[in-house]
Amino acid sequence: MQKQVEQFLKQRGMYYADMDLSVECQKFIEEMKQGLNGEACTLDMLPTYLSVANKIDTNTPALVIDAGGTNFRVGCVTFDDAMQPQVSNFSKTQMPGIARELSKKDFFGKMVDLTKKVAETTEQIGFCFSYPTEIDKDKDGTLLRWTKEVKAPEVVGERIGENLVAGLKEVDGKDRGVVILNDTVATLLGGKGITSHRKFDGYIGFIFGTGTNACYIEEIQNIAKITDAKESTMIINMESGAYGKLPRGAVDEAFDAKTANPGDYQFEKMVSGRYLGPLLLDLLQVAAKEGLFSEECNKALLVLGSCGLIDLNTFMCNPHDRSNIIAKCVKVETDCTFLYEIIDAMIERAAKACAITLSSIIIKTNTGLDSARPVGIIGEGTTFYKLKDFKEKLDYYMKAFLVKEHGRHYEFIKGEDLNLIGTAIAALSNK
C-alpha cells in the first residue's frame, strides 16, 4: 500500500521524498538574499524597523491588538518591575472581513468599535497585524495585499495604524502612538521576552496555523534595500508563505487556481491550516476517480462537499471512529489504510517544507554553531502543535539535515500569549 501511495504521489509531483533538502535550501537562501537586496523574488523580506535590544517601559499600559487569520483579539498589557506581563480587558471576536466583504470605512469602523473601550486607558498601541504590510520608519505600516481570504479590498494600500488612530481620536480626541508588526514578529519578541535568562545565538519566529510565516534577526549590513536604519540588527518579516520556488504538483496548481488570489502565497497553500484540508480533499478525490479505494469508498469521497484540516486530523488521531466524515467513507479496511497513508504523506511534505524554511534561515545567518547557544525557534499556531505528528516530523528533518550535516543547533520555545506579550514589548520599547 505504501508503494502504491508513493507511486500515486510521485506521478503528481507531490511526494515528499522527491524534495532534496540541500537543493531546496540553496534556492530558498538565494531568494532571501534577493529579497534583502530589493530584487524581484517571491520573498518580500520586509524590514520591520524593530530592534530586540531596546528598554521596555514598566508599569505603563499598552493597548494590544492581534488581527490574525481567524480571530481579532484585544487587551491591555502592563509589565511590572520584575518584567512580568499582566493582561487585562481581554476579548476575542472574528477577524473583520472574514464573514463578508467590508469597505474601508466599515473595516476601520469595526476596529474602532472593538478597541475604543480598552483604548481609554492608554496612549500606546501595539498592533499585531498578520498580513503582508510594508513597515515605515515611524513603525506604521501599509497593507500590501490580503491573504487568508480576508475581503476588504479598499484597505489595500492604506496605512493601518494611521487609520485606526484617526478613528479613535474621533471618539475621545486623544493622540496616540502606534507600532505595527506582524504576528510572526510579535511571536519572536514574546519568545525572547520569556527567555531573557537564557543565551541563544539568534531567534526565529515561526507561525504555522491558519497561515504560515517566519521572521528572524538580520544584520543591517545585509539589508541593501534600506540605508537609514539606526540599529545594527533588525527583525525581518520574510512573508515566507509567499515563497514560490518549491516544487508543486498538478493538484497543487489546480487548487491554487480556485483560491481568491491565484499564483500568490504558493507555499502557504501547500502546507498551512486554512488550505491543507481542502487541498487534501482534492487529492483524495483525484485518487477516488482513479479507483484507488474500494468502489463504495470512491463514490463516498467524490460526493464529499467539504473537508477541513480538523476533520482530517481527527481521522488521523482515530481512523476507526466512524463519526468522522473521512472515516465514514471507509467501506473496507484497505480504504482506511490508503487514506491514512496519503494524508500522512502530505503532513510529512508540509513538515519537510517547513524544515527548508527554518534550516535556510539558520544556515544563511551562520548561527547555531555552539550547542550550548542554539538558535531559539519560537513556534506558534494550532496546526504546529496539534496536527498529528507534524512537529515530530519537522524535528526529524531538521536534526537529520541541519544538525547532522551542517552542525547547527536549535531549540523550540513555547509560551503562553506570546503574540500579546511581544506586541506589548514592541509598543513599549520602540516608540
Side-chain angles (χ1 to χ4, degrees), residues 49 135-141 159 162 178-180 430-431:
Y49 292 93
I135 304 299
D136 304 318
K137 287 183 291 184
D138 64 359
K139 311 295 191 302
D140 199 352
R159 279 167 56 89
E162 180 181 300
V178 63
V179 173
I180 301 290
N430 288 276
K431 294 182 290 182

Side-chain angles (χ1 to χ4, degrees), residues 418-429:
L418 293 184
N419 271 16
L420 295 177
I421 294 170
T423 302
I425 289 173
L428 297 171
S429 65

Side-chain angles (χ1 to χ4, degrees), residues 214-233:
C215 71
Y216 71 104
I217 302 167
E218 181 61 87
E219 299 287 336
I220 291 295
Q221 63 188 14
N222 295 328
I223 313 173
K225 63 183 177 182
I226 62 172
T227 58
D228 52 358
K230 298 178 181 179
E231 300 84 359
S232 60
T233 61

Side-chain angles (χ1 to χ4, degrees), residues 65 72 96 105-119 163-172:
I65 306 166
F72 187 84
K105 179 181 178 181
D106 289 341
F107 180 83
F108 287 109
K110 182 68 173 176
M111 286 195 170
V112 169
D113 287 341
L114 293 171
T115 58
K116 61 185 180 183
K117 184 176 180 180
V118 182
N163 279 279
L164 175 64
V165 167
L168 289 171
K169 188 172 183 177
E170 289 182 6
V171 174
D172 60 16

